[in-house]
Amino acid sequence: MHISYAQAYDCASAIFWSVTAADERPDLAAMLYPLVRTLIAEEMPVLAEHDVSMWGYSVLVALDETPVRTQSALAEAIGADKSRIIGTLDELQDAGLIERTPDPDDRRVRLLSITAKGRRVRRAVRKGIRVREERLLAKLPAADRQGFLRALRALHRDK
Amino acid sequence: MHISYAQAYDCASAIFWSVTAADERPDLAAMLYPLVRTLIAEEMPVLAEHDVSMWGYSVLVALDETPVRTQSALAEAIGADKSRIIGTLDELQDAGLIERTPDPDDRRVRLLSITAKGRRVRRAVRKGIRVREERLLAKLPAADRQGFLRALRALHRDK
DNA sequence: TATTGTTATACTCTATAACTATA
DNA sequence: TATAGTTATAGAGTATAACAATA
């Protein structure tokens, strides 16, 4: 009897998997990375629908929580480089979603704040994102879901 | 009395934060993305220590679970493009961590499997990663930690 | 003709470093 | 001299498409 390499490999696959799957868990990053990818892919259509980029949205989120005095500070707050958010700020300003006014006390700095329109867009986008997040979280048992969210918030806070 | 814009903005910051922080949670991606970044940054030194790239490590992980018959299948399994992993496979093969032999039944395909040395490297890297993951997970209350890991595995499985 | 592995090309992101204007 | 914002440049990472060998 002759079995091809193809069959042998398929067979080995099944055996190896059944042995290792039960006791061990994948690395955290190996689980989290694809999850983030999926989430971002889900968010894209929502963002496109409201004509904001991902960086644009995170700027709106940051400014909705609090106005910021300098662009550098804003960049650092959202984990970006100061040179990287300039295009984003231009777009947001042109769309009337943020205000960027020179500080009379120090004409080098730009005072940044969200507009009423920007706030509306931010809320609408978040609503769309929440709907899609729900579809994902619905896969979890209620108990784990709570632990998952609490853990995530904890890790997010003191990072 | 005159207060500068700087002072006013700092003040506004404190007020806005205290109002919004309690009731709302950030978007999932907004919490997960920085977390993944941190995890990857922590893993880098471990990988460097054992002379494997991140893609190289995930190839070793995939092949340690099961040998794979074609490079395309392997690429898809780890979420990469078939053209992207070629350099990685070359490196792993040169280092003696994987074997890549032509299938006699179909000379187009390369049969892929991990070597004993590759398995040792994979185990060593994972050990280093686990140590650093522990430092992160230690921040969580035991209950949330369990829920977090269970939820993560569930989302990872049926994604 | 279709498929596997490979190479080449173009495109997006990101990081770094100059440059200006103010202080 | 140092800092905020801006622009320009180079590098890494990724995706796409073309190519040779085999089926």
Side-chain angles (χ1 to χ4, degrees), chain B residues 67-134:
Chain B
V68 169
R69 215 178 77 85
T70 73
Q71 296 183 182
S72 305
L74 175 63
E76 200 192 340
I78 64 175
D81 191 86
K82 62 172 181 169
S83 70
R84 226 169 61 192
I85 62 169
I86 290 182
T88 305
L89 295 181
D90 291 343
E91 288 169 15
L92 292 174
Q93 190 178 17
D94 291 349
L97 305 183
I98 67 167
E99 273 182 348
R100 182 158 55 155
T101 61
D103 182 347
D105 289 358
D106 182 343
R107 299 218 303 280
R108 290 175 306 181
V109 333
R110 310 270 174 275
L111 304 170
L112 303 168
S113 59
I114 195 169
T115 65
K117 187 180 174 190
R119 212 163 249 124
R120 280 198 300 275
V121 169
R122 187 246 145 124
R123 299 267 149 86
V125 171
R126 187 179 55 187
K127 209 165 152 186
I129 289 179
R130 284 299 153 92
V131 170
R132 285 146 199 261
E133 287 180 351
E134 270 312 312

Side-chain angles (χ1 to χ4, degrees), chain A residues 55 80-84 104-108:
Chain A
W55 285 113
D81 191 87
K82 63 171 179 169
S83 69
R84 226 167 63 192
D105 290 357
D106 181 343
R107 298 217 304 282
R108 290 175 304 180

